[in-house]
Amino acid sequence: MKTRKKQRLGLALSSGGVLGYANIGVVKALEELHVQIGLLSGASMGAVVAVFNAAGLNAAGLEALSVKYSAQVAMLFGAVVPVGRLTTPSRLRAALRNELPVTVFEALQKPVCIAATDVQSGGALVFDSGDIWGPLSGSFGMPGVFPVTEVGGQYLLDGCFSLPVPVTELRKRGATSVIAVSLYDVLQHQDYKPSWNIPKVLELSVNLTFNNVARPELERADLVIRPDLRGCEPSDVHEYVARGYDATMSRKAEIEALLA
């Protein structure tokens, strides 16, 4: 008599700067659907959400933490915020480090692996043991915003450049099925207009690049959640969370079928 292999669901969370708040909405929906996540992965903002979730913060806690620092994050990524709430990259990193209740991967409540980019080779570096903070700060190390992070003689850039949605790494670690989050989907872009200024074209170009980098990993997932983030304001955490939640709930039947 054949026995059915026990399900172990992996959740791969996407990089994306402020777009990454949508990852929290995905977590929130899965909580409400009573989906048991066996292990997580992430890059950049996705890594932050994955680590804090595995450290014990549920979706409500993640959303509250994001709101607490939303003005600082929006300022660092170019949005206008009240002068009295400005911060520096080092202060934001230090504040987040103080919020994290554990210091090593082994103390997390479930396995997590996070991706960063080797500044020398451009290849992905994946971390899942030992000290959390060095790899995590490197994983959300967007150039021009945060300084390069040194970990064990390696210099780390943001994980978005090499492995923005780490799906394969979850497979390697025993995930029997994987749900991934896509935040760079080209279908979400506004229609291009010749009147666009250089920053607008640059934003589009960056999203197209990260979408292309993420595509091979997304193709290895069993289910991809694609929140529609058009029109969201950089500092509006709740709206990003709502979009991620709605996108996940719209796939409820597929999620239930995947885990049946």
Side-chain angles (χ1 to χ4, degrees), residues 225-237:
I225 306 297
R226 292 182 165 89
D228 184 348
L229 304 178
R230 288 173 291 187
C232 290
E233 294 296 327
S235 60
D236 192 350
V237 174

Side-chain angles (χ1 to χ4, degrees), residues 159-182:
C160 67
F161 295 109
S162 58
L163 200 58
V165 191
V167 172
T168 304
E169 294 298 328
L170 292 176
R171 301 275 191 205
K172 292 178 181 178
R173 289 161 174 77
T176 56
S177 53
V178 176
I179 296 176
V181 182
S182 173

Side-chain angles (χ1 to χ4, degrees), residues 54-94:
L57 268 71
N58 61 12
L62 290 168
E63 188 168 358
L65 181 67
S66 299
V67 169
K68 182 177 180 180
Y69 296 103
S70 60
Q72 289 92 328
V73 172
M75 182 275 295
L76 292 177
F77 284 92
V80 177
V81 297
V83 173
R85 297 184 68 182
L86 297 184
T87 190
T88 64
S90 58
R91 286 178 180 173
L92 177 59
R93 272 184 170 172

Side-chain angles (χ1 to χ4, degrees), residues 23-192:
N23 289 311
I24 300 171
V26 176
V27 173
K28 180 180 180 180
L30 294 177
E31 285 179 0
E32 290 191 13
L33 294 174
H34 303 291
V35 172
Q36 296 297 314
I37 301 169
L39 61 169
L40 298 106
S41 68
S44 197
M45 185 71 87
V48 175
V49 174
V51 165
F52 275 87
N53 181 235
L57 268 71
N58 61 12
L62 290 168
E63 188 168 358
L65 181 67
S66 299
V67 169
K68 182 177 180 180
Y69 296 103
S70 60
Q72 289 92 328
V73 172
M75 182 275 295
L76 292 177
F77 284 92
V80 177
V81 297
V83 173
R85 297 184 68 182
L86 297 184
T87 190
T88 64
S90 58
R91 286 178 180 173
L92 177 59
R93 272 184 170 172
L96 288 175
R97 184 173 190 173
N98 289 334
E99 298 278 2
L100 189 61
V102 300
T103 59
V104 294
F105 282 92
E106 290 79 3
L108 297 172
Q109 295 177 10
K110 61 187 71 174
V112 173
C113 60
I114 61 176
T117 302
D118 188 316
V119 73
Q120 291 295 120
S121 69
L125 297 171
V126 180
F127 300 87
D128 63 1
S129 63
D131 173 67
I132 292 177
W133 188 253
L136 183 59
S137 60
S139 183
F140 72 92
M142 180 61 71
V145 178
F146 296 101
V148 172
T149 300
E150 188 270 330
V151 175
Q154 294 174 305
Y155 292 91
L156 311 184
L157 289 178
D158 200 290
C160 67
F161 295 109
S162 58
L163 200 58
V165 191
V167 172
T168 304
E169 294 298 328
L170 292 176
R171 301 275 191 205
K172 292 178 181 178
R173 289 161 174 77
T176 56
S177 53
V178 176
I179 296 176
V181 182
S182 173
L183 301 180
Y184 301 113
D185 199 307
V186 294
L187 297 178
Q188 297 182 27
H189 298 164
Q190 300 177 38
D191 292 337
Y192 170 75

Side-chain angles (χ1 to χ4, degrees), residues 182-257:
S182 173
L183 301 180
Y184 301 113
D185 199 307
V186 294
L187 297 178
Q188 297 182 27
H189 298 164
Q190 300 177 38
D191 292 337
Y192 170 75
K193 296 179 177 59
S195 60
W196 279 7
N197 58 23
I198 290 176
K200 187 71 174 176
V201 175
L202 180 60
E203 178 185 356
L204 173 63
S205 301
V206 169
N207 282 345
L208 288 172
T209 299
F210 292 155
N211 181 66
N212 289 337
V213 175
R215 185 180 295 119
E217 288 293 300
L218 294 172
E219 290 174 350
R220 296 183 177 99
D222 297 283
L223 181 66
V224 180
I225 306 297
R226 292 182 165 89
D228 184 348
L229 304 178
R230 288 173 291 187
C232 290
E233 294 296 327
S235 60
D236 192 350
V237 174
H238 300 304
E239 185 61 27
Y240 282 109
V241 173
R243 301 289 184 92
Y245 175 89
D246 291 343
T248 307
M249 282 302 191
S250 73
R251 311 293 293 278
K252 177 181 176 181
E254 294 165 89
I255 293 170
E256 292 174 342

